[in-house]
């Protein structure tokens, strides 16, 4: 089995109103050191060991469903889980 961790973030050129709201709230809560916040998504996938090419499968999943590649960037890590 493979455990895949996918991190999705807005591209730097895309405005992040949710991140801006969180940054302003943190500043208002007396955390003036917070200068910027970018909000993203985190996903964990479990793939069976029968997956032929895990890297290619994950990339296809990201680009076809999990990520809006027009406005988002992504990265992922793959961990082989043995003994489950």
């Amino acid at each position: 089995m493979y455990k895949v961790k996918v991190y999705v973030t807005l591209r730097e050129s895309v405005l992040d109103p949710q991140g801006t709201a969180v940054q302003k709230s943190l500043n208002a809560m007396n955390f003036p050191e917070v200068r910027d916040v970018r909000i993203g998504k985190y996903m964990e996938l479990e793939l069976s060991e029968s997956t032929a090419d895990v890297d290619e499968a994950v990339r296809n999943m990201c680009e076809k469903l999990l990520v809006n590649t027009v406005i988002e960037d992504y990265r992922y890590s793959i961990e082989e889980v043995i003994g489950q």
Side-chain angles (χ1 to χ4, degrees), residues 1-5 45-62 76-80:
M1 178 177 78
Y2 297 95
K3 187 172 203 169
V4 180
K5 298 176 181 178
L45 311 172
E46 289 184 6
L47 279 62
S48 69
E49 59 275 352
S50 64
T51 307
D53 187 338
V54 177
D55 190 60
E56 182 179 342
V58 172
R59 195 171 337 114
N60 283 333
M61 289 177 207
C62 287
Y76 56 86
S77 63
I78 300 169
E79 176 184 330
E80 186 172 4

Side-chain angles (χ1 to χ4, degrees), residues 12-29:
E12 284 298 319
S13 60
V14 176
L15 293 177
D16 183 357
Q18 186 179 12
T20 301
V22 170
Q23 182 259 327
K24 287 181 179 179
S25 294
L26 288 169
N27 290 163
M29 294 171 66

Side-chain angles (χ1 to χ4, degrees), residues 33-73:
E33 65 271 28
V34 179
R35 301 185 61 127
D36 188 30
V37 175
R38 301 289 289 177
I39 303 293
K41 298 182 278 188
Y42 170 73
M43 292 168 261
E44 288 186 358
L45 311 172
E46 289 184 6
L47 279 62
S48 69
E49 59 275 352
S50 64
T51 307
D53 187 338
V54 177
D55 190 60
E56 182 179 342
V58 172
R59 195 171 337 114
N60 283 333
M61 289 177 207
C62 287
E63 294 184 5
K64 290 182 178 177
L65 179 67
L66 303 176
V67 179
N68 179 347
T69 58
V70 175
I71 61 169
E72 296 173 323
D73 290 322

